[in-house]
Amino acid sequence: MNRIARAFSSFALCLGLLHAGLGIAHAAGPGKLIIGYPPGQSVDIIGRLLADRLSQTTERKWIVESMPGQSGSIALAAVARMPADGSVMTLSASAALAGNPFLYTNVRYDPIKDFEPIGLMYDAPLLLLVNAALPVKSLPELLAYLRAHPGQLSYSSPGNGSVSHLAMSELLRRSGTSMTHVPYQGASKSLADLAGGQVQVSFDAIAAAQPFLASGKIRAIAISSKERVAVLPDIPTVSESGIEGFDMVPWVGLLAPAGTPRDAVDKLSVELGKIVQSEDFSRRVVSLGGRPRTAPAAEFRSFLRSEVTRWSGVIKTSGAKLE
């Protein structure tokens, strides 16, 4: 080998080692992260951040593909039929996995059989909200008001069969009270009418409620998780307010098509855990009203099974059904 050839070979070797050390060489082709929710929603925001982090720490460049529709079910149906070779993942919420198969008559996937769970990422407790003019400042006071004024109050939700609707249905069932349900198309209109007094009560996500709370037009009186949340430490849980054991919290996890190789799932699960526990990622989740949560593949699989059983029961009891 002449001097020029040896120099070129050494340069190429050094460059390759440099790229490998920096983690910027993508040995595999690009992967797809399918997200079944519109751009700008919290799942989409977190998904894009996740794709960026995974592109830095794995052998693939991960590209986000938006596929909104039917509250996340369109994306899940598509992913269930995509190649199970480690090149496809989806970020999905509990409503699409544990709720929609029992709400819609035309869902084309099985939440257990059609996916390989990779890991849990975060959850997002709901706030129990009232119009500021309503003379109640706690859940016990709200329940007492409902019993004293039967048929007079209504509650809003972002849609029939939404987690907000189901959480309220369960609260009313367990407390033996009732209100009229007024479903909307999305949280913005639901909360705007709550602030305006057209409806008096609602359950909704922390991030969606924050601007209305800041205006003073609505009041938070309880939170749907078993534990209080760090961003609103003074808001008691529904459970400690008298409905013992109440825990109605939507969550988000990462999945791949069923049959994805176990080594690929395990590697992605490890990387996901590191990302979720990182300071900047956790801070972003919290800013959107969520709580970072980690559960590796096997644990997430067990959790998913239990959640499918639990939410199917809640839906059956509520009588909610969608076409």
Side-chain angles (χ1 to χ4, degrees), residues 177-231:
T177 57
S178 63
M179 284 187 283
T180 300
H181 178 212
V182 182
Y184 289 83
Q185 290 187 331
S188 296
K189 181 60 176 173
S190 168
L191 290 171
D193 276 10
L194 175 65
Q198 286 85 353
V199 292
Q200 294 77 43
V201 188
S202 190
F203 256 127
D204 219 316
I206 295 172
Q210 281 176 336
F212 297 93
L213 290 169
S215 74
K217 295 181 179 180
I218 66 174
R219 179 186 303 123
I221 61 173
I223 197 156
S224 69
S225 51
K226 286 191 296 185
E227 308 86 14
R228 296 193 185 196
V229 297
V231 291

Side-chain angles (χ1 to χ4, degrees), residues 233-294:
D234 296 330
I235 305 299
T237 68
V238 171
S239 183
E240 67 183 290
S241 300
I243 311 297
E244 188 175 347
F246 190 92
D247 184 29
M248 305 289 284
V249 181
W251 47 264
V252 174
L254 187 66
L255 307 98
T260 298
R262 175 53 48 192
D263 62 335
V265 170
D266 290 342
K267 287 178 182 178
L268 286 166
S269 184
V270 170
E271 292 302 323
L272 178 65
K274 293 176 182 177
I275 291 168
V276 172
Q277 294 178 65
S278 66
E279 185 177 349
D280 62 333
F281 194 89
S282 295
R283 190 185 307 116
R284 189 67 176 118
V285 170
V286 171
S287 74
L288 293 169
R291 301 183 302 180
R293 291 186 62 182
T294 57

Side-chain angles (χ1 to χ4, degrees), residues 7-43:
F8 181 80
S9 177
S10 297
F11 174 76
L13 176 61
C14 291
L15 185 61
L17 290 172
L18 177 62
H19 278 198
L22 292 175
I24 59 176
H26 297 290
K32 288 184 180 181
L33 178 59
I34 309 297
I35 298 180
Y37 307 91
Q41 288 193 1
S42 59
V43 179

Side-chain angles (χ1 to χ4, degrees), residues 51-67:
D52 178 67
R53 296 294 186 273
L54 285 173
S55 294
Q56 297 174 27
T57 60
T58 68
E59 295 179 338
R60 293 184 186 276
K61 168 71 175 177
W62 290 93
I63 299 170
V64 171
E65 183 174 329
S66 295
M67 201 176 291

